[in-house]
Amino acid sequence: MAPDGAIAAEPPSGSAPGEGELFTAPVLHLDGFEGPLDLLLELARAQKVDLARISILDLVTQYLAVVESARRVRLELAADWLVMAAWLAWLKSRLLLPSEDGPDEEAADAAELLQERLEELARMSAAAAWLSARDQLGRDVFARGEAETLVEIDRSGLALDVPQLMRAWMAVIRRTARKRIYRPRVIRFWTVQDALVRLRRLLGSTPPGWSSLDSYLPEALPETDVTDRARAGRAAMAGTLIAGLELAKSGMLELKQDEAFGKIFLRPQEEMEMTAEAGEME
Amino acid sequence: MTDITQDIWPSDQVVRLVEAMIFSASAPVSAKAILSLLENQDLVPDGVEDLDTCLRAVFDALQTRYAGRGVLPSEVAGGWQFRTAPDLAPLLTKVLPRPRRLARAAMETLAIIAYHQPCTRAEIEDIRGVSLGQNVLDTLIEESLIAPRGRKEVPGRPVLWGTTADFLRHFGLKGLGDLPRREELMTELPEALPRTEEAQAETADLLASEAQAGEEDA
Amino acid sequence: MTDITQDIWPSDQVVRLVEAMIFSASAPVSAKAILSLLENQDLVPDGVEDLDTCLRAVFDALQTRYAGRGVLPSEVAGGWQFRTAPDLAPLLTKVLPRPRRLARAAMETLAIIAYHQPCTRAEIEDIRGVSLGQNVLDTLIEESLIAPRGRKEVPGRPVLWGTTADFLRHFGLKGLGDLPRREELMTELPEALPRTEEAQAETADLLASEAQAGEEDA
């Protein structure tokens, strides 16, 4: 034994010191143990017998010795070490000096309880060792690093439901109800301007000779709310006639009507055609 | 391990290691990474010049091992990776239907057609208060939600649109009569809404005609 | 494919398919999922009552195929998973990120939770005879090895802790039933976890002499 009585209980991760070091080390590594119970279990392990047959008295004595030597080197001990020491000192006295009324049942119970706690700690320590010895995922064995995604997303379907349809409808109604301010309905008739543009454009590709004014009416009238087709049709006819008269006045075409209220015909001005042809020939 | 001669390359241990490495990596493993692993472990035969051929042999050995199996080592962008055998992939592939939603404009247009059918494009625009992109109608036609229902006999003879049987199927409706009626929806319009005389008058008209229609149905 | 008789079960195609299914996943694939795949593909023999035995045969076939390879099929947490061969770990950890080892306190706490679950922090401290640093539980929670399992209905309502499916996966356990029974843990005095024989012997020597000293004192 070292003169100063220091002992070195190694912390779990520490390397074992050499002999000389052992006897000169002034520090007691009690914090290498995970608390007083851990030290008690370690002491029990040192007895190298079945935990069930271990001598609690020996264990208590050993613990008290360790704590005493720790105090001799003035190591600061956490309160729980001292609490355990006090309790074990009490236990030891009761075990050593049974009362005159026979065996001290209180001490026997306490010793049994301590034994049970040590056994449970030993079991859990064994379980931890068993777990540690297993191949651990991410340390000893590895799973597939990247899962293969065998999923196909089908975007062909439509997610439709009636509430959606209703919300859309309500949104439209709310919006237009908010926006709608009174204004007279604008009826988009086929205007003289429209007809002029159309007539001028069509004249170039019209075959020589008379053709009906009707054929210069637009195929599709501008979008309109007017449901009275006849009215829109009449307006288009009037517009086209006025445009025709305008162009006839400027000599670009000729108009004729064989009888009152009869069909109206028009043809491009021949002179213009000739000019055009002459132009092409040059 | 350094005395492996070229003729017995790759050793079983090399193939196993590469197999495990490709398996456990979170991305395709590059030839460079494999080579560096093998070199670190001193598993590359001494005096080998042509490392590419060496690696090729490892890959070939791995492919031989997995020939005809459920998974195969394959070369993908950036390296090697295990992949499900092509003939098995379709059996394992889970198809997740992720239905699309209709865009707002399309949904609103569909709602208008549902309530006003048959109606023209111009009428839809008038109700929505904005002009309609051609693609909106195209989408609805492609999905067979709407179809032409003749032409309106006005100048220009615009196409009239109506909903289809597919429309009913998509919305789980037995018939158009299953849709909430317009006046039922109108009651939910917030009172505070600044409605104009005209809008009110129109609503009244609509309700009146709906009521008539309802009576005719009955 | 439904006329596969018991004696040639499992067919090569069955083994390939299951192989591909397990291989493609990064987490264990449940027996139920495998069975449902085989049934969907009409690969389960007609009139088979004992599906567990059927699956066992598939698993055995897979194990035979992969014997000695770099990756191995293993049974964990109620399912099957491919894992790298344990002997390759030292080589692979050079290229794969290796998580830190659990400290002894964490390991013992985990063992206590595994055997006493659900249990409170106070119960763990009571068994270990020492108070528990918060970082111990934090580490276990971060690694998804433990999770809260409600609260104990005592004053203060402390959280009850239990192990997770990840706990089973991490240690390659099929279920909690794979843990040694409590009696088995007591067959002989277990050695403390990280302490070396040498350190233990020293401690024993020291303590023996200390004990003598103590007795002399007494």
Side-chain angles (χ1 to χ4, degrees):
Chain A
M1 200 66 237
D4 59 357
I7 66 161
E10 276 301 301
S13 54
S15 58
E19 283 279 297
E21 202 182 327
L22 184 72
F23 288 102
T24 55
V27 181
L28 185 66
H29 299 290
L30 270 189
D31 48 351
F33 291 97
E34 300 256 354
L37 209 57
D38 190 35
L39 172 60
L40 277 169
L41 181 60
E42 190 60 38
L43 295 170
R45 284 198 176 100
Q47 291 191 19
K48 301 257 184 204
V49 289
D50 190 329
L51 256 192
R53 289 185 285 115
I54 212 139
S55 161
I56 290 292
L57 198 55
D58 284 357
L59 218 55
V60 168
T61 308
Q62 288 171 0
Y63 179 92
L64 293 174
V66 169
V67 169
E68 183 53 34
S69 58
R71 295 177 76 169
R72 249 182 278 154
V73 295
R74 272 172 290 185
L75 180 80
E76 282 200 24
L77 281 180
D80 51 348
W81 291 86
L82 299 176
V83 169
M84 178 65 93
W87 185 75
L88 289 178
W90 167 84
L91 182 61
K92 183 181 171 184
S93 68
R94 298 296 288 263
L95 288 173
L96 284 175
L97 307 166
S99 65
E100 292 167 357
D101 314 334
D104 192 326
E105 281 186 24
E106 204 184 341
D109 286 351
E112 196 178 316
L113 198 66
L114 179 61
Q115 180 127 7
E116 276 170 16
R117 287 188 68 188
L118 286 175
E119 282 178 20
E120 186 57 24
L121 183 59
R123 270 195 289 267
M124 292 306 112
S125 166
W130 184 85
L131 281 176
S132 294
R134 290 190 70 82
D135 291 330
Q136 291 176 48
L137 188 63
R139 212 192 74 189
D140 307 302
V141 292
F142 299 89
R144 180 112 192 236
E146 189 187 30
E148 222 174 313
T149 49
L150 290 164
V151 174
E152 209 170 78
I153 305 288
D154 179 6
R155 301 276 298 165
S156 66
L158 271 182
L160 297 175
D161 53 41
V162 172
Q164 238 181 314
L165 189 74
M166 296 300 98
R167 279 197 300 276
W169 165 252
M170 310 263 292
V172 169
I173 296 305
R174 283 207 183 90
R175 195 169 59 232
T176 50
R178 210 177 295 134
K179 263 193 206 164
R180 200 159 286 173
I181 46 165
Y182 177 77
R183 59 176 194 278
R185 178 177 284 164
V186 178
I187 302 165
R188 290 206 56 200
F189 286 120
W190 187 244
T191 64
V192 175
Q193 293 309 316
D194 295 335
L196 267 175
V197 170
R198 184 173 170 82
L199 266 179
R200 280 210 180 92
R201 184 158 49 81
L202 289 180
L203 274 178
S205 55
T206 303
W210 295 102
S211 51
S212 165
L213 187 66
D214 293 347
S215 58
Y216 294 89
L217 287 180
E219 282 150 19
L221 289 169
E223 283 159 353
T224 169
D225 257 352
V226 182
T227 49
D228 187 349
R229 185 185 173 231
R231 192 160 65 134
R234 279 201 302 276
M237 187 58 153
T240 306
L241 178 60
I242 291 166
L245 290 170
E246 187 70 30
L247 293 177
K249 202 172 88 182
S250 61
M252 288 176 71
L253 54 76
E254 285 180 86
L255 286 165
K256 75 166 180 178
Q257 186 177 30
D258 294 337
E259 51 177 330
F261 305 111
K263 260 190 177 313
I264 298 168
F265 295 92
L266 65 76
R267 68 172 179 191
Q269 180 61 259
E270 278 170 22
E271 254 179 57
M272 286 191 59
E273 276 178 60
M274 286 168 69
T275 318
E277 277 169 28
E280 275 172 27
M281 285 172 74
E282 282 172 12
Chain B
M1 285 296 227
T2 54
D3 56 356
I4 294 171
T5 54
Q6 194 66 27
D7 50 346
I8 65 150
W9 171 267
S11 71
D12 191 54
Q13 183 71 350
V14 165
V15 180
R16 286 180 77 226
L17 184 58
V18 172
E19 178 184 22
M21 187 191 185
I22 302 173
F23 170 83
S24 54
S26 59
V29 179
S30 68
K32 202 178 141 197
I34 294 168
L35 213 51
S36 121
L37 173 74
L38 295 180
E39 278 173 346
N40 277 341
Q41 303 296 326
D42 243 353
L43 287 169
V44 179
D46 272 349
V48 168
E49 288 299 310
D50 192 352
L51 291 169
D52 285 348
T53 310
C54 256
L55 273 188
R56 176 52 51 193
V58 175
F59 192 65
D60 287 348
L62 206 53
Q63 270 192 318
T64 309
R65 282 195 161 191
Y66 278 87
R69 307 292 291 272
V71 288
L72 306 167
S74 55
E75 280 187 277
V76 294
W80 298 350
Q81 195 175 40
F82 277 107
R83 283 281 176 89
T84 302
D87 65 310
L88 296 177
L91 305 183
L92 292 168
T93 299
K94 208 179 284 171
V95 178
L96 286 186
R98 193 147 308 161
R100 290 161 297 135
R101 288 186 162 271
L102 281 180
R104 200 182 93 179
M107 202 59 184
E108 287 185 5
T109 303
L110 187 60
I112 292 165
I113 294 174
Y115 277 104
H116 292 263
Q117 58 187 310
C119 62
T120 66
R121 179 198 187 93
E123 286 161 354
I124 297 165
E125 288 181 335
D126 193 48
I127 293 169
R128 284 195 70 217
V130 287
S131 67
L132 203 56
Q134 181 55 43
N135 63 323
V136 171
L137 281 186
D138 286 349
T139 305
L140 297 176
I141 296 164
E142 271 165 32
E143 300 290 348
S144 335
L145 293 168
I146 61 166
R149 294 274 175 269
R151 287 173 177 277
K152 189 160 185 172
E153 292 304 329
V154 294
R157 303 190 66 240
V159 170
L160 284 164
W161 297 101
T163 56
T164 61
D166 273 350
F167 167 84
L168 295 177
R169 198 173 48 75
H170 267 300
F171 284 95
L173 300 167
K174 272 176 283 176
L176 287 173
D178 274 4
L179 285 175
R181 278 177 301 155
R182 273 192 276 180
E183 64 268 28
E184 287 170 328
L185 293 174
M186 284 313 207
T187 56
E188 287 170 40
L189 271 181
E191 285 303 314
L193 217 116
R195 278 151 88 195
T196 60
E197 293 270 334
E198 197 207 9
Q200 276 175 4
E202 265 186 17
T203 312
D205 285 350
L206 282 168
L207 295 177
S209 52
E210 277 293 325
Q212 278 178 352
E215 275 163 21
E216 278 159 23
D217 286 349
Chain C
M1 286 296 225
T2 54
D3 57 354
I4 296 171
T5 52
Q6 194 64 25
D7 50 348
I8 63 152
W9 171 270
S11 70
D12 190 56
Q13 182 71 355
V14 165
V15 179
R16 286 181 76 227
L17 191 57
V18 173
E19 176 186 23
M21 187 186 192
I22 308 172
F23 209 101
S24 65
S26 58
V29 178
S30 73
K32 204 177 140 196
I34 295 167
L35 213 51
S36 124
L37 171 76
L38 293 180
E39 277 172 347
N40 279 341
Q41 300 294 328
D42 239 353
L43 287 170
V44 177
D46 273 348
V48 168
E49 290 297 311
D50 191 355
L51 292 168
D52 285 347
T53 309
C54 260
L55 277 187
R56 170 62 42 200
V58 176
F59 191 69
D60 288 347
L62 262 184
Q63 269 191 318
T64 309
R65 281 193 163 189
Y66 278 87
R69 307 290 293 273
V71 290
L72 305 167
S74 63
E75 271 187 285
V76 279
W80 297 352
Q81 187 177 34
F82 274 103
R83 293 186 166 187
T84 57
D87 67 299
L88 295 174
L91 311 180
L92 283 173
T93 44
K94 297 275 188 330
V95 288
L96 292 170
R98 184 173 183 153
R100 63 206 147 94
R101 174 184 272 278
L102 286 177
R104 179 175 152 223
M107 212 60 189
E108 279 188 9
T109 302
L110 187 59
I112 291 167
I113 294 173
Y115 278 91
H116 291 261
Q117 60 186 312
C119 63
T120 66
R121 181 199 186 96
E123 286 161 358
I124 297 165
E125 290 179 335
D126 199 43
I127 292 169
R128 296 195 67 226
V130 66
S131 66
L132 203 58
Q134 182 53 42
N135 64 321
V136 172
L137 281 185
D138 286 351
T139 305
L140 297 176
I141 295 165
E142 270 164 33
E143 305 279 342
S144 317
L145 296 169
I146 62 167
R149 295 272 176 269
R151 288 173 180 277
K152 188 163 186 171
E153 291 305 331
V154 293
R157 303 187 71 237
V159 171
L160 287 163
W161 296 99
T163 56
T164 60
D166 271 352
F167 165 78
L168 298 177
R169 278 177 217 136
H170 186 89
F171 291 100
L173 301 167
K174 275 179 264 182
L176 288 174
D178 268 7
L179 290 172
R181 282 176 303 145
R182 293 171 59 84
E183 309 88 85
E184 289 169 347
L185 291 172
M186 275 309 281
T187 48
E188 58 184 34
L189 260 185
E191 283 170 10
L193 256 190
R195 279 192 208 137
T196 60
E197 290 273 339
E198 204 184 350
Q200 272 182 15
E202 275 166 19
T203 313
D205 289 348
L206 284 167
L207 295 176
S209 49
E210 279 295 322
Q212 281 174 350
E215 269 164 21
E216 281 157 24
D217 286 350

